[in-house]
Amino acid sequence: MSARLSRHALGALTVPLALTFLGAASGPAPAAAAKEKQPGRPNVVFVLADDLGWADLSTGRTNQGNGNDFIQTPAIDRLAREGMSFDNGYACVMCAPSRSALLTGLYAQRPDNNIYLGAELNSGGDDTLLVGPPQGLADGNPVLPPHAVTVAETLQSAGYRTGYIGKFHVTKNAAEIVSAHGFDENFGGSESGNAKVYHAENGKFDASIGPALNAFAAPYTQAYVDQNLKPYAHGVSGKALDALVGTQKHVTDALSDAAVNFIDRNSGRPFFTWLSQYAVHSPVGDAQARSDLLAKYKAATPGKDPAKPSYAALVEGLDQSVARVIDHLDRTPDPRNPGHVLADNTLVVFSSDNGGRTDLGGYNGPLKGQKGELDEGGVRVPWIVWSKNKRLVRGGTINSSPINGTDLYPTLAAYAGAKLPSGVPFDGTNLRPAFTTGAPVVRPRFAHLPGYKNGGARDQRPETTVRDGRWKLGYTYEDQRWHLYDLGNDIGETNDLASRRPDVVARLGTEIVRWLDRTDAPLATLRAGRPPLELQVRGTTYSAKTVRHYARSTTLRVQPGDEVPLVLPNS
């Protein structure tokens, strides 16, 4: 593990430095060098949206033609058009497990992750058949253990400056983001899972947002609006934008400020900027939207897709943040590569931490389900990778390979030339060959939730799934049933083929059994006070970290407190 830096953001940053970036880079971009040379290790900017639905972007490139007809996202659309889009990108069911997987490169059941939901696993109440296992640390707190080696630590050990901007969630406190998780600086990250209020008040953000971001919380000025909002506005009058002057800063804009500032102060060496927006997580309402964007969408004519103006305003504010960061990379000279701008040697990755909340205005298109569920609508998310350097990304392409959050860590390590820590059983795939050539990625992708996420129009019960090629197989533990969908022909998961394709169930079910065994995955247990379960088994089971094979029909008796097994019948 790399040595940890203990410097905190407020101690490292002076306010004058924090305020020097507010205008766009002055002067024209430098002319291209007469003789192209191989640049040094690339910078990395990772932008993570919060709760952005698969079909919340207006581009159709990330969602198989299901672009949103109400929300406008021109900047992200540009990344999708010029970069490589993945229309089968996956995350976890909720914010916390996705962030843990991205940071560690590990599936939830690994000891250095052990986060399945943002809260305990028994939201179904006391009447459910099963009980989920403990998660997080020994005290039950769903946060990363301090000894987990994050992608930031690995890049930090390779000489990168690492900056975290925005929602972190999987930490005990804001200080640990720097002291324990490999980031040199942190602006806005804390233990909170959302911004309780999106706007600052009296030049400070709500306590749910890490206090270092207050360096960027000053009310809007005319210069700020002219330089940082008007160039990226679409369909909003200058008068509406000028009306922002003197009003309280929106957290989305403040996070953009912090990201650009971090890039400016660290461009003399390779940098890793993790920009984790609070948008579009709840609360979603008129009070949380920026007034110019709210007015735009209230006046807009709805199409066929959901049209909640306050939600759309948060999404377009997120898009403007991306526009500002990309524009800054496009215009800022690269001190490590004279004659070039930063965008010529920067890898930009954009994604979301889970599917959209359809009950709050999010849209997942034809996908079934929403955030908190293992249906496609809960776990399929936009994925885009972009660079102006064709050596870093093969642009203008769509890759339909299934990929997921665990892939980020080994991919960034490969780009950075960083050595992966020894002894860590990484679950991800290095996607650099796919990013640079468009090569397919052939590897099954698993998900495991040994508990409940109920309420808010959601009904997720203990389940394990695998996505392999066009097939998705799932096992539900309460009823010991397999479910099989051909996502190539049935993206909405409407036609269960398990009874008609026992060969596929047997093949993919074996993959699940081996994966559960390989990762020592915990299962839900039979609730105390319930009568024992009797299961007739002829085939293979997994429970208590053990695989067993039964050649003959055998009665298994599951007592309260015992794990309820996965059962794969002989085909």
Side-chain angles (χ1 to χ4, degrees):
M1 185 182 301
S2 63
R4 303 183 191 277
L5 301 184
S6 60
R7 181 167 59 247
H8 292 267
L10 284 177
L13 175 67
T14 62
V15 173
L17 269 177
L19 301 180
T20 57
F21 76 100
L22 292 177
S26 60
K35 184 180 291 185
E36 187 176 5
K37 67 175 184 177
Q38 183 71 32
R41 289 174 298 164
N43 309 305
V44 177
V45 176
F46 177 50
V47 182
L48 184 64
D50 195 350
D51 292 1
L52 186 73
W54 191 61
D56 277 339
L57 300 178
S58 49
T59 180
R61 297 178 69 86
T62 60
N63 47 43
Q64 300 182 10
N66 291 283
N68 200 287
D69 67 359
F70 183 67
I71 303 171
Q72 295 182 348
T73 55
I76 302 173
D77 294 357
R78 172 198 166 186
L79 298 189
R81 184 174 62 253
E82 296 179 359
M84 181 177 292
S85 300
F86 287 82
D87 54 14
N88 283 276
Y90 285 88
C92 298
V93 294
M94 294 192 75
C95 314
S98 281
R99 289 160 199 278
S100 300
L102 289 163
L103 285 160
T104 65
L106 301 174
Y107 282 122
Q109 57 265 39
R110 299 289 192 182
D112 283 356
N113 184 336
N114 196 34
I115 299 175
Y116 301 93
L117 294 174
E120 54 93 22
L121 290 169
N122 296 296
S123 63
D126 296 334
D127 294 330
T128 58
L129 177 67
L130 308 180
V131 177
Q135 63 169 347
L137 302 179
D139 60 6
N141 197 3
V143 303
L144 286 179
H147 61 265
V149 185
T150 69
V151 63
E153 290 177 279
T154 293
L155 267 62
Q156 194 181 61
S157 68
Y160 276 68
R161 287 287 293 175
T162 57
Y164 199 91
I165 295 108
K167 173 178 168 177
F168 196 87
H169 197 181
V170 288
T171 183
K172 285 186 176 181
N173 53 62
E176 279 192 349
I177 298 171
V178 172
S179 66
H181 296 309
F183 290 96
D184 296 314
E185 300 178 20
N186 162 42
F187 295 94
S190 72
E191 68 278 14
S192 179
N194 62 288
K196 293 180 173 57
V197 179
Y198 270 87
H199 289 91
E201 183 176 354
N202 298 322
K204 290 186 178 181
F205 287 106
D206 179 83
S208 60
I209 297 169
L213 194 64
N214 289 332
F216 304 93
Y220 293 106
T221 64
Q222 188 67 59
Y224 185 98
V225 170
D226 291 344
Q227 295 167 1
N228 298 304
L229 298 185
K230 286 184 178 179
Y232 313 108
H234 299 272
V236 175
S237 70
K239 182 178 180 181
L241 288 163
D242 289 340
L244 292 172
V245 174
T247 66
Q248 297 295 324
K249 181 73 70 68
H250 197 279
V251 68
T252 300
D253 293 327
L255 292 172
S256 309
D257 299 344
V260 170
N261 178 263
F262 179 83
I263 290 169
D264 276 348
R265 292 184 291 104
N266 293 281
S267 59
R269 61 189 286 189
F271 60 79
F272 174 37
T273 306
W274 185 309
L275 174 54
S276 182
Q277 287 285 0
Y278 283 98
V280 287
H281 195 289
S282 60
V284 177
D286 289 1
Q288 311 306 328
R290 214 174 67 200
S291 62
D292 61 308
L293 292 172
L294 180 64
K296 168 185 173 175
Y297 283 104
K298 283 192 170 182
T301 301
K304 64 178 179 61
D305 298 339
K308 184 172 182 176
S310 59
Y311 185 89
L314 289 175
V315 175
E316 187 167 347
L318 166 71
D319 184 77
Q320 290 183 8
S321 170
V322 172
R324 282 188 59 198
V325 172
I326 298 301
D327 186 53
H328 195 72
L329 296 172
D330 269 336
R331 294 169 59 88
T332 302
D334 185 350
R336 295 195 294 131
N337 294 287
H340 289 268
V341 292
L342 289 172
D344 292 337
N345 193 33
T346 300
L347 178 75
V348 178
V349 182
F350 174 87
S351 191
S352 177
D353 61 354
N354 46 249
R357 282 282 302 270
T358 57
D359 56 331
L360 295 180
Y363 188 48
N364 299 313
L367 304 181
K368 178 185 177 184
Q370 62 168 319
K371 172 185 176 179
E373 298 175 313
L374 284 172
D375 298 322
E376 292 292 286
V379 294
R380 199 185 292 204
V381 294
W383 253 90
I384 304 168
V385 59
W386 175 93
S387 179
K388 291 188 75 172
N389 187 337
K390 63 183 179 182
R391 293 190 181 96
L392 299 180
V393 177
R394 182 186 176 189
T397 56
I398 298 174
N399 191 319
S400 293
S401 302
I403 63 172
N404 68 3
T406 56
D407 299 330
L408 183 75
Y409 194 145
T411 302
L412 298 190
Y415 274 98
K419 184 179 179 180
L420 290 172
S422 62
V424 178
F426 285 102
D427 294 308
T429 301
N430 172 16
L431 298 178
R432 184 170 185 174
F435 289 178
T436 55
T437 70
V441 182
V442 182
R443 184 175 179 178
R445 308 290 170 180
F446 298 92
H448 179 57
L449 184 62
Y452 295 83
K453 182 59 184 176
N454 302 101
R458 292 170 287 192
D459 187 22
Q460 178 62 51
R461 296 165 184 271
E463 184 177 3
T464 303
T465 68
V466 62
R467 170 75 194 272
D468 191 348
R470 75 178 198 262
W471 297 106
K472 179 179 179 180
L473 179 69
Y475 182 81
T476 49
Y477 291 84
E478 285 189 331
D479 56 8
Q480 298 92 49
R481 287 188 57 197
W482 292 95
H483 308 270
L484 178 68
Y485 300 100
D486 178 359
L487 296 181
N489 296 307
D490 180 24
I491 197 172
E493 299 173 276
T494 61
N495 187 18
D496 184 358
L497 301 175
S499 62
R500 282 174 277 176
R501 294 301 306 268
D503 57 323
V504 179
V505 173
R507 176 171 62 85
L508 299 188
T510 300
E511 287 186 5
I512 287 180
V513 170
R514 290 172 177 169
W515 176 72
L516 292 172
D517 185 47
R518 187 167 64 248
T519 60
D520 285 340
L523 305 182
T525 57
L526 183 62
R527 183 177 289 279
R530 291 278 184 168
L533 293 179
E534 290 193 355
L535 308 178
Q536 289 299 124
V537 175
R538 180 175 176 269
T540 302
T541 67
Y542 171 83
S543 65
K545 302 181 181 181
T546 303
V547 176
R548 294 180 175 87
H549 303 282
Y550 297 90
R552 298 179 179 178
S553 182
T554 303
T555 300
L556 298 184
R557 190 174 177 87
V558 180
Q559 300 289 344
D562 291 344
E563 289 189 349
V564 174
L566 177 144
V567 179
L568 179 64
N570 288 338
S571 58

